[in-house]
Amino acid sequence: MVATPKPLADKTPDIAQRSQAGGKAARYIGSTAWRIAKPSIAIAIFLGIWEAAPRLGLVDKVFLPPFTEVVSAFFTLAENGQLQEHVSASLTRALTGFFVAIAIAIPLGIAIAWYRPVSDFLNPILELFRNTAALALLPVFVLILGIGEESKIALVIYACTFPILLNTISGVRTVDPLLIKSAASLGFSSIRLFQKVVLPAAVPTIFTGIRMAAASSILVLIAAEMVGAKAGLGYLITASQLNFQIPNMYAGIVAISLLGLTINAILVLIERRLSRWRVTT
């Protein structure tokens, strides 16, 4: 009896599936690389113009040194410890005022948004002060609290409070009423309602205010340090300008930009973790 040979399995579908999966992976890698490359290209062009303009004589090298000289000054300041000293001083002041503002503004914003009597009582004073620029009050803080750390931290608290406060009020007030009614119909207590419905829904708007406040904390503090301080990035910039150490001045400005980007990136990561319930498209 002659054995009949078994027919070979058709591997065409398997090869097609692998090819399709490989194509999807390649497209994903390509799109990810492009998302990373797009901002990098813009930054590279900007830095290239910065480097070339002084060297080609388009601007005076004395007042705008090439970017490589600024980088060299940045690393020199980092090596001798000056940069760390100034960054530490500014960061301590900014974070202290920032966290105090969060502790004040979020509970107050929730109270104003949720309780009408509190809103009616506090709205007039809030409207008065939220339209008053923080830097306009710097002389007042200096006169009352002195030229030391207290006046700078108080100024940061003032500048950070209103973005967080206003966005907290907006976030709580714009929660979908249907969600609140549904939770109430299920027997949720007021505390449980805030914990499970109102606060999660308001997190994105609140974090918008927090990120705005983080930027304000750095900017206002730098301006305050330029007026009166013995350490800090604002002091570094002003002292470098007065001593005509222009590369050091630009190195301080670059340090401020990097500090702001780092703080914003950390806040974005925290926001994503707290907003994992949201459906992304």
Side-chain angles (χ1 to χ4, degrees):
M1 182 175 181
V2 180
T4 305
K6 294 181 179 180
L8 294 175
D10 188 5
K11 296 185 178 181
T12 304
D14 187 39
I15 295 173
Q17 289 176 358
R18 290 181 182 179
S19 177
Q20 187 177 9
K24 288 182 179 179
R27 286 193 297 271
Y28 176 77
I29 294 172
S31 63
T32 303
W34 176 240
R35 283 200 304 269
I36 296 172
K38 274 195 296 186
S40 303
I41 291 172
I43 293 172
I45 292 173
F46 169 73
L47 296 180
I49 294 173
W50 184 353
E51 179 71 22
R55 297 191 181 279
L56 296 175
L58 300 177
V59 294
D60 194 335
K61 290 178 65 174
V62 174
F63 301 112
L64 182 65
F67 179 69
T68 50
E69 293 185 15
V70 174
V71 172
S72 177
F74 183 93
F75 283 108
T76 300
L77 290 171
E79 288 172 3
N80 60 31
Q82 291 185 51
L83 186 63
Q84 291 89 324
E85 176 188 354
H86 295 302
V87 169
S88 176
S90 292
L91 197 57
T92 301
R93 295 164 183 154
L95 290 181
T96 301
F98 177 63
F99 285 122
V100 171
I102 289 176
I104 294 171
I106 292 180
L108 184 59
I110 292 172
I112 291 172
W114 199 251
Y115 298 105
R116 177 63 63 181
V118 177
S119 175
D120 294 339
F121 180 72
L122 292 179
N123 262 339
I125 194 72
L126 292 178
E127 289 296 325
L128 174 65
F129 280 104
R130 81 187 185 98
N131 292 304
T132 305
L135 291 178
L137 295 177
L138 177 58
V140 178
F141 286 118
V142 171
L143 287 173
I144 296 174
L145 300 174
I147 204 169
E149 299 298 305
E150 292 83 2
S151 60
K152 297 176 182 59
I153 293 174
L155 187 67
V156 172
I157 293 172
Y158 179 87
C160 292
T161 296
F162 287 99
I164 302 172
L165 178 64
L166 296 175
N167 278 273
T168 300
I169 294 171
S170 176
V172 173
R173 284 181 176 172
T174 55
V175 174
D176 190 349
L178 184 60
L179 293 177
I180 297 175
K181 290 179 181 178
S182 300
S185 66
L186 292 174
F188 279 35
S189 64
S190 297
I191 296 176
R192 194 72 171 167
L193 183 65
F194 262 104
Q195 181 185 1
K196 292 297 183 180
V197 178
V198 176
L199 287 182
V203 160
T205 307
I206 293 173
F207 260 88
T208 299
I210 289 175
R211 290 168 63 185
M212 291 169 61
S216 297
S217 69
I218 299 294
L219 297 176
V220 170
L221 178 62
I222 297 305
E225 289 175 344
M226 289 179 175
V227 175
K230 295 182 179 179
L233 292 172
Y235 169 79
L236 171 64
I237 293 170
T238 303
S240 300
Q241 180 196 16
L242 294 176
N243 294 322
F244 218 71
Q245 297 173 329
I246 304 303
N248 288 358
M249 182 188 77
Y250 283 101
I253 296 172
V254 170
I256 293 171
S257 300
L258 295 176
L259 187 61
L261 287 172
T262 302
I263 292 174
N264 184 69
I266 292 171
L267 291 175
V268 169
L269 290 175
I270 295 173
E271 179 186 0
R272 287 177 180 172
R273 182 165 182 83
L274 294 177
S275 303
R276 286 180 298 178
W277 55 269
R278 286 191 296 170
V279 177
T280 57
T281 57

Short mmCIF file of all heavy atoms in Angstrom, two decimals, residues 178-232:
data_model
loop_
_atom_site.label_atom_id
_atom_site.label_comp_id
_atom_site.label_asym_id
_atom_site.label_seq_id
_atom_site.Cartn_x
_atom_site.Cartn_y
_atom_site.Cartn_z
N LEU A 178 -25.71 66.10 34.67
CA LEU A 178 -26.28 64.75 34.60
C LEU A 178 -25.48 63.76 35.44
O LEU A 178 -26.04 62.87 36.08
CB LEU A 178 -26.34 64.29 33.14
CG LEU A 178 -27.00 62.93 32.87
CD1 LEU A 178 -28.44 62.95 33.36
CD2 LEU A 178 -26.92 62.58 31.39
N LEU A 179 -24.14 63.94 35.45
CA LEU A 179 -23.31 63.07 36.27
C LEU A 179 -23.61 63.27 37.75
O LEU A 179 -23.69 62.30 38.53
CB LEU A 179 -21.82 63.37 36.01
CG LEU A 179 -21.28 63.04 34.62
CD1 LEU A 179 -19.83 63.47 34.51
CD2 LEU A 179 -21.40 61.54 34.34
N ILE A 180 -23.78 64.53 38.15
CA ILE A 180 -24.06 64.83 39.56
C ILE A 180 -25.42 64.26 39.96
O ILE A 180 -25.57 63.64 41.03
CB ILE A 180 -24.00 66.35 39.80
CG1 ILE A 180 -22.58 66.87 39.51
CG2 ILE A 180 -24.40 66.69 41.22
CD1 ILE A 180 -22.43 68.37 39.59
N LYS A 181 -26.43 64.44 39.11
CA LYS A 181 -27.76 63.92 39.41
C LYS A 181 -27.76 62.40 39.47
O LYS A 181 -28.43 61.79 40.33
CB LYS A 181 -28.75 64.41 38.36
CG LYS A 181 -29.05 65.91 38.43
CD LYS A 181 -30.02 66.33 37.34
CE LYS A 181 -30.29 67.83 37.39
NZ LYS A 181 -31.21 68.27 36.30
N SER A 182 -27.02 61.77 38.58
CA SER A 182 -26.96 60.31 38.57
C SER A 182 -26.31 59.79 39.85
O SER A 182 -26.80 58.82 40.45
CB SER A 182 -26.18 59.83 37.34
OG SER A 182 -26.79 60.25 36.15
N ALA A 183 -25.21 60.45 40.27
CA ALA A 183 -24.54 60.02 41.50
C ALA A 183 -25.42 60.26 42.71
O ALA A 183 -25.47 59.43 43.63
CB ALA A 183 -23.22 60.78 41.64
N ALA A 184 -26.14 61.39 42.72
CA ALA A 184 -27.03 61.68 43.85
C ALA A 184 -28.17 60.68 43.91
O ALA A 184 -28.61 60.25 44.99
CB ALA A 184 -27.57 63.10 43.73
N SER A 185 -28.68 60.27 42.76
CA SER A 185 -29.77 59.29 42.74
C SER A 185 -29.33 57.92 43.22
O SER A 185 -30.14 57.11 43.67
CB SER A 185 -30.34 59.18 41.32
OG SER A 185 -29.38 58.62 40.43
N LEU A 186 -28.02 57.66 43.15
CA LEU A 186 -27.49 56.39 43.65
C LEU A 186 -27.21 56.43 45.14
O LEU A 186 -26.71 55.45 45.71
CB LEU A 186 -26.20 56.04 42.89
CG LEU A 186 -26.36 55.70 41.41
CD1 LEU A 186 -25.01 55.54 40.75
CD2 LEU A 186 -27.20 54.44 41.23
N GLY A 187 -27.48 57.58 45.76
CA GLY A 187 -27.32 57.69 47.20
C GLY A 187 -25.95 58.13 47.66
O GLY A 187 -25.59 57.92 48.82
N PHE A 188 -25.17 58.76 46.77
CA PHE A 188 -23.85 59.24 47.16
C PHE A 188 -24.00 60.39 48.15
O PHE A 188 -24.83 61.29 47.96
CB PHE A 188 -23.08 59.74 45.93
CG PHE A 188 -22.43 58.65 45.13
CD1 PHE A 188 -23.02 57.42 45.00
CD2 PHE A 188 -21.21 58.87 44.52
CE1 PHE A 188 -22.43 56.42 44.26
CE2 PHE A 188 -20.60 57.87 43.79
CZ PHE A 188 -21.21 56.63 43.65
N SER A 189 -23.18 60.36 49.20
CA SER A 189 -23.13 61.50 50.12
C SER A 189 -22.38 62.64 49.45
O SER A 189 -21.76 62.47 48.40
CB SER A 189 -22.41 61.10 51.41
OG SER A 189 -21.06 60.76 51.14
N SER A 190 -22.42 63.82 50.07
CA SER A 190 -21.75 64.99 49.48
C SER A 190 -20.25 64.75 49.34
O SER A 190 -19.64 65.08 48.31
CB SER A 190 -22.00 66.23 50.35
OG SER A 190 -23.37 66.54 50.38
N ILE A 191 -19.64 64.16 50.37
CA ILE A 191 -18.20 63.89 50.31
C ILE A 191 -17.89 62.88 49.23
O ILE A 191 -16.95 63.04 48.45
CB ILE A 191 -17.70 63.39 51.69
CG1 ILE A 191 -17.89 64.48 52.74
CG2 ILE A 191 -16.25 62.97 51.60
CD1 ILE A 191 -17.52 64.03 54.14
N ARG A 192 -18.71 61.82 49.17
CA ARG A 192 -18.50 60.79 48.15
C ARG A 192 -18.72 61.36 46.74
O ARG A 192 -18.03 60.99 45.79
CB ARG A 192 -19.48 59.65 48.41
CG ARG A 192 -19.16 58.38 47.66
CD ARG A 192 -17.95 57.70 48.23
NE ARG A 192 -17.77 56.37 47.66
CZ ARG A 192 -16.68 55.66 47.79
NH1 ARG A 192 -15.65 56.15 48.46
NH2 ARG A 192 -16.57 54.46 47.24
N LEU A 193 -19.69 62.27 46.62
CA LEU A 193 -19.98 62.90 45.34
C LEU A 193 -18.78 63.71 44.86
O LEU A 193 -18.40 63.65 43.68
CB LEU A 193 -21.21 63.80 45.48
CG LEU A 193 -21.71 64.50 44.22
CD1 LEU A 193 -22.21 63.48 43.21
CD2 LEU A 193 -22.81 65.48 44.57
N PHE A 194 -18.17 64.45 45.77
CA PHE A 194 -16.97 65.22 45.42
C PHE A 194 -15.82 64.30 45.04
O PHE A 194 -15.11 64.54 44.07
CB PHE A 194 -16.55 66.11 46.60
CG PHE A 194 -17.01 67.52 46.48
CD1 PHE A 194 -18.07 68.00 47.22
CD2 PHE A 194 -16.39 68.38 45.59
CE1 PHE A 194 -18.50 69.29 47.10
CE2 PHE A 194 -16.82 69.68 45.47
CZ PHE A 194 -17.89 70.14 46.22
N GLN A 195 -15.66 63.23 45.81
CA GLN A 195 -14.52 62.34 45.61
C GLN A 195 -14.61 61.57 44.31
O GLN A 195 -13.61 61.41 43.60
CB GLN A 195 -14.42 61.37 46.79
CG GLN A 195 -13.26 60.39 46.70
CD GLN A 195 -13.28 59.39 47.83
OE1 GLN A 195 -14.17 59.39 48.69
NE2 GLN A 195 -12.30 58.50 47.85
N LYS A 196 -15.81 61.09 43.96
CA LYS A 196 -15.96 60.18 42.83
C LYS A 196 -16.42 60.85 41.54
O LYS A 196 -16.22 60.30 40.46
CB LYS A 196 -16.95 59.07 43.20
CG LYS A 196 -16.45 58.13 44.27
CD LYS A 196 -15.23 57.36 43.80
CE LYS A 196 -14.76 56.35 44.82
NZ LYS A 196 -13.55 55.60 44.35
N VAL A 197 -17.02 62.05 41.63
CA VAL A 197 -17.60 62.66 40.43
C VAL A 197 -17.00 64.04 40.16
O VAL A 197 -16.41 64.28 39.10
CB VAL A 197 -19.14 62.76 40.56
CG1 VAL A 197 -19.73 63.44 39.32
CG2 VAL A 197 -19.75 61.38 40.75
N VAL A 198 -17.17 64.95 41.10
CA VAL A 198 -16.83 66.35 40.84
C VAL A 198 -15.33 66.54 40.65
O VAL A 198 -14.89 67.12 39.63
CB VAL A 198 -17.35 67.25 41.98
CG1 VAL A 198 -16.92 68.71 41.75
CG2 VAL A 198 -18.87 67.16 42.06
N LEU A 199 -14.53 66.07 41.60
CA LEU A 199 -13.09 66.30 41.50
C LEU A 199 -12.46 65.61 40.29
O LEU A 199 -11.67 66.23 39.58
CB LEU A 199 -12.40 65.87 42.80
CG LEU A 199 -12.63 66.79 43.99
CD1 LEU A 199 -11.86 66.28 45.21
CD2 LEU A 199 -12.21 68.21 43.67
N PRO A 200 -12.76 64.32 40.02
CA PRO A 200 -12.19 63.72 38.81
C PRO A 200 -12.56 64.47 37.53
O PRO A 200 -11.73 64.63 36.64
CB PRO A 200 -12.77 62.30 38.81
CG PRO A 200 -13.06 62.02 40.24
CD PRO A 200 -13.50 63.32 40.82
N ALA A 201 -13.81 64.94 37.44
CA ALA A 201 -14.22 65.66 36.23
C ALA A 201 -13.56 67.03 36.13
O ALA A 201 -13.35 67.55 35.03
CB ALA A 201 -15.74 65.82 36.22
N ALA A 202 -13.22 67.62 37.28
CA ALA A 202 -12.62 68.96 37.28
C ALA A 202 -11.09 68.93 37.18
O ALA A 202 -10.48 69.99 37.00
CB ALA A 202 -13.03 69.71 38.54
N VAL A 203 -10.48 67.75 37.30
CA VAL A 203 -9.02 67.66 37.33
C VAL A 203 -8.34 68.31 36.11
O VAL A 203 -7.39 69.07 36.26
CB VAL A 203 -8.57 66.19 37.49
CG1 VAL A 203 -7.13 65.98 37.03
CG2 VAL A 203 -8.69 65.78 38.94
N PRO A 204 -8.79 68.05 34.86
CA PRO A 204 -8.11 68.67 33.72
C PRO A 204 -8.09 70.20 33.78
O PRO A 204 -7.07 70.83 33.51
CB PRO A 204 -8.91 68.16 32.51
CG PRO A 204 -9.53 66.90 32.97
CD PRO A 204 -9.85 67.12 34.40
N THR A 205 -9.23 70.80 34.14
CA THR A 205 -9.29 72.26 34.22
C THR A 205 -8.45 72.78 35.37
O THR A 205 -7.76 73.80 35.24
CB THR A 205 -10.76 72.71 34.40
OG1 THR A 205 -11.56 72.12 33.38
CG2 THR A 205 -10.87 74.21 34.30
N ILE A 206 -8.47 72.08 36.50
CA ILE A 206 -7.65 72.50 37.65
C ILE A 206 -6.18 72.45 37.28
O ILE A 206 -5.40 73.37 37.61
CB ILE A 206 -7.95 71.62 38.87
CG1 ILE A 206 -9.38 71.87 39.37
CG2 ILE A 206 -6.96 71.89 39.99
CD1 ILE A 206 -9.83 70.93 40.48
N PHE A 207 -5.77 71.40 36.57
CA PHE A 207 -4.36 71.28 36.22
C PHE A 207 -3.94 72.31 35.18
O PHE A 207 -2.76 72.68 35.13
CB PHE A 207 -4.04 69.86 35.74
CG PHE A 207 -3.41 69.02 36.80
CD1 PHE A 207 -4.19 68.30 37.68
CD2 PHE A 207 -2.03 68.99 36.96
CE1 PHE A 207 -3.61 67.54 38.68
CE2 PHE A 207 -1.44 68.24 37.94
CZ PHE A 207 -2.23 67.50 38.81
N THR A 208 -4.87 72.77 34.37
CA THR A 208 -4.54 73.89 33.48
C THR A 208 -4.14 75.10 34.30
O THR A 208 -3.14 75.78 34.00
CB THR A 208 -5.74 74.23 32.58
OG1 THR A 208 -6.06 73.09 31.78
CG2 THR A 208 -5.43 75.41 31.68
N GLY A 209 -4.91 75.39 35.36
CA GLY A 209 -4.56 76.49 36.25
C GLY A 209 -3.25 76.25 36.98
O GLY A 209 -2.46 77.19 37.18
N ILE A 210 -3.01 75.02 37.39
CA ILE A 210 -1.76 74.71 38.10
C ILE A 210 -0.55 74.92 37.20
O ILE A 210 0.47 75.47 37.62
CB ILE A 210 -1.81 73.26 38.64
CG1 ILE A 210 -2.81 73.17 39.80
CG2 ILE A 210 -0.43 72.80 39.10
CD1 ILE A 210 -3.02 71.76 40.31
N ARG A 211 -0.67 74.51 35.94
CA ARG A 211 0.45 74.71 35.00
C ARG A 211 0.67 76.19 34.71
O ARG A 211 1.81 76.65 34.60
CB ARG A 211 0.18 73.93 33.72
CG ARG A 211 0.28 72.41 33.91
CD ARG A 211 -0.27 71.66 32.72
NE ARG A 211 0.49 71.93 31.52
CZ ARG A 211 0.17 71.47 30.31
NH1 ARG A 211 -0.94 70.75 30.16
NH2 ARG A 211 0.91 71.74 29.27
N MET A 212 -0.42 76.95 34.58
CA MET A 212 -0.28 78.40 34.41
C MET A 212 0.38 79.03 35.64
O MET A 212 1.24 79.91 35.53
CB MET A 212 -1.65 79.02 34.17
CG MET A 212 -2.28 78.66 32.85
SD MET A 212 -4.03 79.16 32.75
CE MET A 212 -3.86 80.93 32.95
N ALA A 213 0.00 78.55 36.82
CA ALA A 213 0.57 79.08 38.05
C ALA A 213 2.05 78.73 38.17
O ALA A 213 2.84 79.55 38.66
CB ALA A 213 -0.19 78.53 39.26
N ALA A 214 2.43 77.54 37.72
CA ALA A 214 3.85 77.15 37.77
C ALA A 214 4.69 78.08 36.92
O ALA A 214 5.78 78.51 37.32
CB ALA A 214 4.00 75.71 37.31
N ALA A 215 4.19 78.41 35.72
CA ALA A 215 4.91 79.37 34.87
C ALA A 215 4.98 80.74 35.53
O ALA A 215 6.02 81.40 35.51
CB ALA A 215 4.24 79.45 33.51
N SER A 216 3.87 81.17 36.12
CA SER A 216 3.84 82.48 36.78
C SER A 216 4.79 82.52 37.96
O SER A 216 5.42 83.56 38.20
CB SER A 216 2.41 82.80 37.25
OG SER A 216 1.53 82.89 36.17
N SER A 217 4.91 81.43 38.68
CA SER A 217 5.78 81.42 39.86
C SER A 217 7.23 81.69 39.47
O SER A 217 7.93 82.45 40.16
CB SER A 217 5.68 80.07 40.58
OG SER A 217 6.25 79.03 39.81
N ILE A 218 7.68 81.11 38.37
CA ILE A 218 9.05 81.33 37.92
C ILE A 218 9.23 82.76 37.41
O ILE A 218 10.18 83.47 37.79
CB ILE A 218 9.43 80.32 36.82
CG1 ILE A 218 9.34 78.88 37.35
CG2 ILE A 218 10.83 80.60 36.30
CD1 ILE A 218 10.33 78.54 38.42
N LEU A 219 8.31 83.22 36.58
CA LEU A 219 8.46 84.53 35.97
C LEU A 219 8.42 85.65 36.99
O LEU A 219 9.25 86.57 36.98
CB LEU A 219 7.36 84.74 34.92
CG LEU A 219 7.38 83.76 33.74
CD1 LEU A 219 6.19 84.01 32.82
CD2 LEU A 219 8.68 83.88 32.95
N VAL A 220 7.45 85.58 37.91
CA VAL A 220 7.33 86.63 38.93
C VAL A 220 8.51 86.61 39.87
O VAL A 220 9.04 87.66 40.25
CB VAL A 220 6.00 86.44 39.69
CG1 VAL A 220 5.94 87.36 40.91
CG2 VAL A 220 4.82 86.72 38.79
N LEU A 221 8.96 85.42 40.23
CA LEU A 221 10.09 85.32 41.14
C LEU A 221 11.36 85.89 40.52
O LEU A 221 12.13 86.59 41.19
CB LEU A 221 10.31 83.86 41.54
CG LEU A 221 11.51 83.61 42.46
CD1 LEU A 221 11.33 84.34 43.78
CD2 LEU A 221 11.72 82.12 42.69
N ILE A 222 11.60 85.60 39.24
CA ILE A 222 12.79 86.12 38.57
C ILE A 222 12.78 87.64 38.59
O ILE A 222 13.80 88.29 38.87
CB ILE A 222 12.86 85.60 37.11
CG1 ILE A 222 13.01 84.07 37.09
CG2 ILE A 222 14.01 86.25 36.37
CD1 ILE A 222 14.16 83.53 37.86
N ALA A 223 11.61 88.24 38.32
CA ALA A 223 11.51 89.69 38.37
C ALA A 223 11.79 90.22 39.77
O ALA A 223 12.47 91.24 39.95
CB ALA A 223 10.13 90.13 37.90
N ALA A 224 11.27 89.52 40.79
CA ALA A 224 11.51 89.96 42.17
C ALA A 224 12.99 89.83 42.53
O ALA A 224 13.54 90.68 43.24
CB ALA A 224 10.65 89.14 43.12
N GLU A 225 13.65 88.77 42.06
CA GLU A 225 15.07 88.58 42.36
C GLU A 225 15.94 89.62 41.68
O GLU A 225 17.04 89.92 42.14
CB GLU A 225 15.51 87.17 41.95
CG GLU A 225 14.94 86.08 42.84
CD GLU A 225 15.27 84.68 42.34
OE1 GLU A 225 15.67 84.56 41.16
OE2 GLU A 225 15.13 83.73 43.12
N MET A 226 15.46 90.15 40.57
CA MET A 226 16.23 91.20 39.89
C MET A 226 16.23 92.50 40.69
O MET A 226 17.15 93.32 40.56
CB MET A 226 15.64 91.46 38.50
CG MET A 226 15.90 90.34 37.50
SD MET A 226 15.16 90.69 35.89
CE MET A 226 15.75 89.29 34.93
N VAL A 227 15.20 92.69 41.51
CA VAL A 227 15.10 93.93 42.29
C VAL A 227 15.95 93.85 43.55
O VAL A 227 16.71 94.78 43.86
CB VAL A 227 13.62 94.21 42.65
CG1 VAL A 227 13.51 95.42 43.57
CG2 VAL A 227 12.81 94.42 41.38
N GLY A 228 15.83 92.77 44.27
CA GLY A 228 16.60 92.66 45.51
C GLY A 228 16.81 91.23 45.92
O GLY A 228 15.87 90.58 46.39
N ALA A 229 18.00 90.71 45.72
CA ALA A 229 18.32 89.33 46.12
C ALA A 229 19.83 89.17 46.08
O ALA A 229 20.55 89.92 45.41
CB ALA A 229 17.65 88.32 45.20
N LYS A 230 20.31 88.19 46.82
CA LYS A 230 21.74 87.87 46.82
C LYS A 230 22.01 86.52 46.17
O LYS A 230 23.16 86.11 46.06
CB LYS A 230 22.27 87.88 48.25
CG LYS A 230 22.23 89.26 48.90
CD LYS A 230 22.83 89.23 50.30
CE LYS A 230 22.81 90.61 50.93
NZ LYS A 230 23.37 90.60 52.31
N ALA A 231 20.96 85.85 45.77
CA ALA A 231 21.10 84.56 45.08
C ALA A 231 19.81 84.31 44.32
O ALA A 231 18.75 84.86 44.64
CB ALA A 231 21.37 83.43 46.06
N GLY A 232 19.90 83.48 43.29
CA GLY A 232 18.75 83.19 42.45
C GLY A 232 19.06 83.49 41.00
O GLY A 232 20.00 84.23 40.69
#
